[in-house]
Amino acid sequence: MDEQVTVLKALNNNVIIAKHPFYKEVIIIGKGIGFGKQKGDVVSQEQAEKTFLLKDEQEQAQYKQLVSYIDPAILEILNEVMLLIEERMGESLHEHIHVALTDHLSFAINRANQNVNFSNPFLFEIESLYTKEFQAAQEVVSIISDRTGVQLPEAEVGFIALHIHSAVTNKTIHDMNRHHTLITELVAIIEENLHIQLTKNDINYNRLIQHLHRAIERVNQGEQLAEQTNLAKVLKATYPLCYNLAWKLVKVMQQQLHIPVDESEVLYLTIHLQRLTQS
């Protein structure tokens, strides 16, 4: 049976705020769904391309404000982009992306029109760590270029990929950027102590940031690794430089994350660092 909703407000021709029989206020996106609609009109949800809740009142207010000043033609493209992202990721996205990414992309388009560009120091890391999100972000940039004629800079692919990853994992952009900054700091400490220079397109650099990222994820999730007392003795005796450096890295992680790090991480880091010295 098709559910019907009652229009509370048409934000534009393609977006309405409606009263749902079960979920109270919902935001409904559909081509032409808001055209000529008045408060109290009944709309079939079969017309909707996307229905979502913004349970947070502040986010709902921000979305309404966003819709009021974004060019309707641009908003229609951004709504299509949201549907594409969900399709490419193969799962439902956390609904805050409708506010965060709509806001980001509308400003990105304005910046590009004014020839104002930003660099993205973590572009390579983002591509390496979030491959699926990065590919979806490339499609988003391509769609915007094809539909608007606006060519977003390469840095924007990374920023968009972060927003997509945030919507999949419900992690904040702030936390992800904090982790990327920590990884950059750890890489610098490794290069200084091992007297090596890693290049971003090198497989060893890619393996290193993947390993550090997984270590940070384990710490944040409180994941405990199996205790390896005998291995610790062997590694300490055989690779003292890498073993001591691994402890240094763990202490930096603890200071930055404000979370205790499982001592077994030292062993895995030692093995990885030793590989770097042999490359």
Coordinates of all heavy atoms in Angstrom, one line a residue, residues 124-160:
F124 N 46.5 12.2 -1.5 CA 47.0 10.8 -1.8 C 46.6 9.8 -0.7 O 46.2 8.7 -1.0 CB 48.6 10.8 -1.8 CG 49.1 9.4 -2.1 CD1 49.3 9.0 -3.4 CD2 49.5 8.6 -1.1 CE1 49.8 7.7 -3.7 CE2 50.0 7.3 -1.3 CZ 50.1 6.9 -2.6
E125 N 46.7 10.3 0.6 CA 46.2 9.4 1.7 C 44.8 9.0 1.6 O 44.4 7.9 1.8 CB 46.5 10.1 3.0 CG 48.0 10.1 3.4 CD 48.8 11.3 2.7 OE1 48.1 12.0 1.9 OE2 50.0 11.4 2.9
I126 N 44.0 10.0 1.2 CA 42.5 9.8 1.1 C 42.2 8.8 0.0 O 41.4 7.8 0.2 CB 41.8 11.1 0.9 CG1 41.9 12.0 2.1 CG2 40.3 10.8 0.5 CD1 41.4 13.4 1.8
E127 N 42.9 8.9 -1.1 CA 42.7 8.0 -2.2 C 43.1 6.6 -1.9 O 42.5 5.6 -2.2 CB 43.5 8.5 -3.5 CG 43.3 7.6 -4.7 CD 44.0 8.0 -5.9 OE1 44.8 9.0 -5.8 OE2 43.8 7.4 -7.0
S128 N 44.2 6.5 -1.1 CA 44.7 5.2 -0.7 C 43.8 4.5 0.3 O 43.6 3.3 0.3 CB 46.1 5.3 -0.2 OG 46.6 4.1 0.3
L129 N 43.3 5.3 1.3 CA 42.6 4.7 2.4 C 41.1 4.5 2.1 O 40.5 3.6 2.6 CB 42.7 5.7 3.6 CG 44.1 5.8 4.2 CD1 44.1 6.9 5.3 CD2 44.6 4.5 4.8
Y130 N 40.6 5.4 1.2 CA 39.1 5.3 1.0 C 38.9 5.2 -0.5 O 38.3 6.1 -1.2 CB 38.4 6.5 1.5 CG 38.8 6.9 2.9 CD1 39.2 8.2 3.2 CD2 38.8 6.0 4.0 CE1 39.6 8.6 4.4 CE2 39.2 6.4 5.2 CZ 39.6 7.7 5.5 OH 40.0 8.1 6.7
T131 N 39.3 4.1 -1.1 CA 39.3 3.9 -2.6 C 37.9 4.0 -3.2 O 37.7 4.7 -4.2 CB 40.0 2.6 -3.0 OG1 41.3 2.5 -2.3 CG2 40.1 2.4 -4.5
K132 N 37.0 3.3 -2.6 CA 35.6 3.3 -3.1 C 35.0 4.7 -3.1 O 34.4 5.2 -4.0 CB 34.8 2.3 -2.3 CG 33.5 1.9 -3.0 CD 32.8 0.8 -2.2 CE 31.5 0.4 -2.8 NZ 30.8 -0.7 -2.1
E133 N 35.2 5.4 -1.9 CA 34.7 6.7 -1.8 C 35.3 7.7 -2.7 O 34.7 8.6 -3.3 CB 34.9 7.2 -0.3 CG 34.1 6.5 0.7 CD 34.8 5.3 1.3 OE1 35.6 4.7 0.6 OE2 34.5 4.9 2.4
F134 N 36.6 7.5 -3.0 CA 37.4 8.4 -3.9 C 36.9 8.2 -5.3 O 36.7 9.2 -6.0 CB 38.9 8.1 -3.8 CG 39.8 9.1 -4.4 CD1 40.2 10.2 -3.5 CD2 40.2 9.1 -5.7 CE1 41.0 11.2 -4.0 CE2 41.0 10.1 -6.2 CZ 41.4 11.1 -5.4
Q135 N 36.6 7.0 -5.7 CA 36.0 6.8 -7.0 C 34.7 7.4 -7.2 O 34.4 8.0 -8.3 CB 36.0 5.3 -7.3 CG 37.4 4.6 -7.5 CD 37.3 3.1 -7.5 OE1 36.3 2.5 -7.2 NE2 38.4 2.5 -7.9
A136 N 33.8 7.3 -6.2 CA 32.5 7.9 -6.2 C 32.6 9.4 -6.3 O 31.9 10.1 -7.0 CB 31.7 7.5 -5.0
A137 N 33.6 10.0 -5.6 CA 33.9 11.4 -5.6 C 34.3 11.9 -6.9 O 33.9 13.0 -7.4 CB 34.9 11.8 -4.5
Q138 N 35.1 11.1 -7.6 CA 35.5 11.5 -9.0 C 34.3 11.5 -9.9 O 34.2 12.4 -10.8 CB 36.5 10.4 -9.5 CG 37.9 10.5 -8.9 CD 38.8 9.4 -9.3 OE1 38.5 8.3 -9.4 NE2 40.1 9.8 -9.6
E139 N 33.4 10.6 -9.7 CA 32.1 10.7 -10.5 C 31.3 11.9 -10.2 O 30.8 12.5 -11.1 CB 31.3 9.4 -10.2 CG 31.8 8.2 -11.0 CD 30.7 7.1 -10.9 OE1 29.7 7.2 -11.7 OE2 30.9 6.1 -10.1
V140 N 31.3 12.3 -9.0 CA 30.5 13.5 -8.6 C 31.1 14.7 -9.3 O 30.4 15.5 -9.8 CB 30.6 13.7 -7.0 CG1 30.1 15.0 -6.6 CG2 29.8 12.6 -6.3
V141 N 32.4 14.8 -9.2 CA 33.1 16.0 -9.9 C 32.8 16.0 -11.4 O 32.6 17.0 -12.0 CB 34.6 15.9 -9.6 CG1 35.4 16.9 -10.5 CG2 34.9 16.3 -8.1
S142 N 32.9 14.8 -12.0 CA 32.6 14.7 -13.4 C 31.2 15.1 -13.8 O 30.9 15.8 -14.8 CB 32.8 13.2 -13.9 OG 32.6 13.1 -15.2
I143 N 30.2 14.7 -12.9 CA 28.8 15.1 -13.2 C 28.6 16.6 -13.1 O 27.9 17.2 -13.9 CB 27.9 14.3 -12.2 CG1 27.8 12.8 -12.5 CG2 26.5 15.0 -12.1 CD1 27.1 12.0 -11.4
I144 N 29.2 17.2 -12.0 CA 29.1 18.6 -11.8 C 29.7 19.3 -13.0 O 29.1 20.3 -13.5 CB 29.8 19.0 -10.5 CG1 28.9 18.5 -9.3 CG2 29.9 20.6 -10.5 CD1 29.6 18.7 -8.0
S145 N 30.8 18.8 -13.5 CA 31.5 19.5 -14.7 C 30.6 19.3 -15.9 O 30.4 20.3 -16.7 CB 32.8 18.8 -15.0 OG 33.4 19.3 -16.2
D146 N 30.0 18.2 -16.2 CA 29.2 17.9 -17.3 C 27.9 18.8 -17.3 O 27.4 19.3 -18.3 CB 28.8 16.4 -17.4 CG 30.0 15.6 -17.8 OD1 31.0 16.1 -18.3 OD2 29.9 14.3 -17.6
R147 N 27.3 18.9 -16.1 CA 26.0 19.5 -16.0 C 26.1 21.1 -15.8 O 25.1 21.8 -16.1 CB 25.2 18.9 -14.8 CG 24.9 17.4 -15.0 CD 23.8 17.2 -16.0 NE 22.5 17.8 -15.5 CZ 21.7 17.2 -14.6 NH1 22.0 16.0 -14.1 NH2 20.6 17.8 -14.2
T148 N 27.2 21.5 -15.2 CA 27.3 23.0 -14.9 C 28.4 23.7 -15.7 O 28.4 24.9 -15.8 CB 27.5 23.2 -13.4 OG1 28.8 22.8 -13.1 CG2 26.5 22.5 -12.6
G149 N 29.3 22.9 -16.2 CA 30.5 23.5 -16.9 C 31.5 24.0 -15.9 O 32.5 24.5 -16.3
V150 N 31.3 23.7 -14.6 CA 32.2 24.1 -13.6 C 33.2 22.9 -13.3 O 32.8 21.8 -13.0 CB 31.5 24.5 -12.3 CG1 32.5 24.8 -11.2 CG2 30.6 25.7 -12.5
Q151 N 34.5 23.2 -13.5 CA 35.5 22.2 -13.3 C 36.1 22.4 -11.8 O 36.8 23.3 -11.6 CB 36.6 22.2 -14.3 CG 37.7 21.1 -14.2 CD 37.0 19.7 -14.3 OE1 36.4 19.4 -15.3 NE2 37.2 18.9 -13.3
L152 N 35.7 21.5 -10.9 CA 36.2 21.6 -9.6 C 37.7 21.1 -9.6 O 38.0 20.2 -10.3 CB 35.4 20.7 -8.6 CG 33.9 21.1 -8.5 CD1 33.2 20.1 -7.5 CD2 33.8 22.5 -8.0
P153 N 38.5 21.7 -8.7 CA 39.9 21.3 -8.7 C 40.1 19.9 -8.1 O 39.2 19.4 -7.4 CB 40.5 22.3 -7.7 CG 39.4 22.9 -6.9 CD 38.2 22.8 -7.8
E154 N 41.2 19.3 -8.4 CA 41.4 17.9 -8.0 C 41.3 17.7 -6.4 O 40.9 16.7 -5.9 CB 42.8 17.4 -8.4 CG 43.1 16.0 -8.1 CD 44.5 15.6 -8.6 OE1 45.4 16.5 -8.7 OE2 44.7 14.4 -8.7
A155 N 41.7 18.8 -5.7 CA 41.6 18.7 -4.2 C 40.2 18.4 -3.8 O 40.0 17.7 -2.7 CB 42.1 20.0 -3.6
E156 N 39.2 18.9 -4.5 CA 37.8 18.7 -4.1 C 37.4 17.2 -4.1 O 36.5 16.8 -3.4 CB 36.9 19.4 -5.0 CG 36.8 20.9 -4.7 CD 36.3 21.3 -3.4 OE1 35.7 20.4 -2.7 OE2 36.5 22.4 -2.9
V157 N 38.1 16.4 -5.0 CA 37.8 14.9 -5.0 C 38.0 14.4 -3.6 O 37.3 13.6 -3.1 CB 38.6 14.2 -6.1 CG1 38.3 12.7 -6.0 CG2 38.3 14.8 -7.5
G158 N 39.2 14.8 -3.0 CA 39.5 14.3 -1.7 C 38.5 14.8 -0.6 O 38.1 14.0 0.2
F159 N 38.1 16.0 -0.7 CA 37.2 16.6 0.3 C 35.8 15.8 0.2 O 35.2 15.5 1.2 CB 37.0 18.1 0.1 CG 38.2 18.9 0.4 CD1 38.6 19.9 -0.5 CD2 38.9 18.7 1.6 CE1 39.7 20.7 -0.2 CE2 40.0 19.5 1.9 CZ 40.4 20.5 1.0
I160 N 35.4 15.6 -1.1 CA 34.1 14.9 -1.3 C 34.2 13.5 -0.8 O 33.2 13.0 -0.1 CB 33.7 15.0 -2.8 CG1 33.4 16.4 -3.2 CG2 32.4 14.1 -3.0 CD1 33.4 16.6 -4.7

